[in-house]
């Protein structure tokens, strides 16, 4: 995997921290929470999309696609956080509560599970790849 430089790594870590702060602040019903989460999600996702895998291992490529899917679910969670602030779509109150209100929690949970799984597996696959290439030498 292509490594991030120091500035990109800092943006990545700040983005992840802002996502956690934004999600926690949303639980406390702070008005600025969706903004903090959205900035964090944009920073985190953009830096993660800069990491590329240039190898041919099919498993790592599949896991990388799962990671990209979870990135888009993070962005969808940010959008749903904004939508949960009020009925901006003009839906009836019952439809709004059924389809929009606080559904960001579900997308965030799915994204976090996919992210954890793919990061863990990519790390193991890269270690396997490194060990097999060092044994060949």
């Amino acid at each position: 995997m292509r490594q991030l430089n120091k500035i990109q790594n800092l943006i990545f870590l700040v983005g992840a921290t802002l996502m956690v702060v934004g999600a926690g602040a949303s639980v406390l019903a702070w008005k600025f929470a969706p903004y903090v989460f959205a900035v964090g999600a944009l920073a985190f996702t953009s830096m993660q999309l800069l990491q590329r895998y240039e190898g041919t291992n099919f498993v790592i490529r599949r896991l990388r696609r799962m990671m990209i899917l979870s990135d888009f679910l993070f962005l969808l969670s940010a959008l749903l956080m904004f939508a949960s602030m009020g009925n901006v779509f003009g839906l009836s109150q019952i439809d709004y509560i059924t389809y929009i209100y606080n559904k960001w929690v579900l997308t965030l949970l799915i994204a976090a599970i996919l992210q954890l799984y793919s990061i863990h597996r990519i790390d193991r696959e890269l270690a396997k790849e490194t060990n097999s290439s060092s044994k060949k030498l």
Side-chain angles (χ1 to χ4, degrees):
M1 297 270 297
R2 184 179 157 263
Q3 296 297 318
L4 299 175
N5 63 31
K6 288 185 180 188
I7 294 172
Q8 291 171 334
N9 199 20
L10 180 66
I11 293 170
F12 180 76
L13 292 174
V14 168
T17 304
L18 287 175
M19 286 173 56
V20 170
V21 168
S26 180
V27 170
L28 298 174
W30 290 351
K31 297 266 185 207
F32 65 87
Y35 300 101
V36 173
F37 185 85
V39 169
L42 284 172
F44 182 84
T45 299
S46 62
M47 290 302 113
Q48 202 165 49
L49 289 175
L50 286 178
Q51 292 178 325
R52 300 238 185 253
Y53 176 69
E54 291 146 4
T56 58
N57 188 337
F58 177 73
V59 174
I60 295 176
R61 289 180 155 313
R62 178 183 54 85
L63 291 167
R64 179 81 179 119
R65 285 191 297 268
M66 284 176 59
M67 190 181 289
I68 291 171
L69 173 65
S70 73
D71 288 338
F72 286 112
L73 286 174
F74 282 135
L75 295 174
L76 179 63
S77 297
L79 180 66
L80 288 173
M81 276 179 113
F82 281 112
S84 291
M85 289 176 64
N87 191 356
V88 295
F89 297 116
L91 299 171
S92 70
Q93 192 65 22
I94 294 186
D95 288 340
Y96 172 71
I97 290 172
T98 302
Y99 299 116
I100 303 294
Y101 187 69
N102 282 343
K103 299 302 186 228
W104 64 270
V105 177
L106 181 63
T107 57
L108 181 61
L109 178 66
I110 293 169
I113 289 170
L114 285 174
Q115 192 75 218
L116 286 172
Y117 175 75
S118 60
I119 286 173
H120 175 69
R121 285 292 314 276
I122 286 174
D123 186 44
R124 289 182 66 189
E125 289 296 323
L126 287 173
K128 263 197 255 183
E129 198 173 83
T130 304
N131 286 340
S132 67
S133 66
S134 65
K135 286 182 181 179
K136 289 180 183 179
L137 296 176

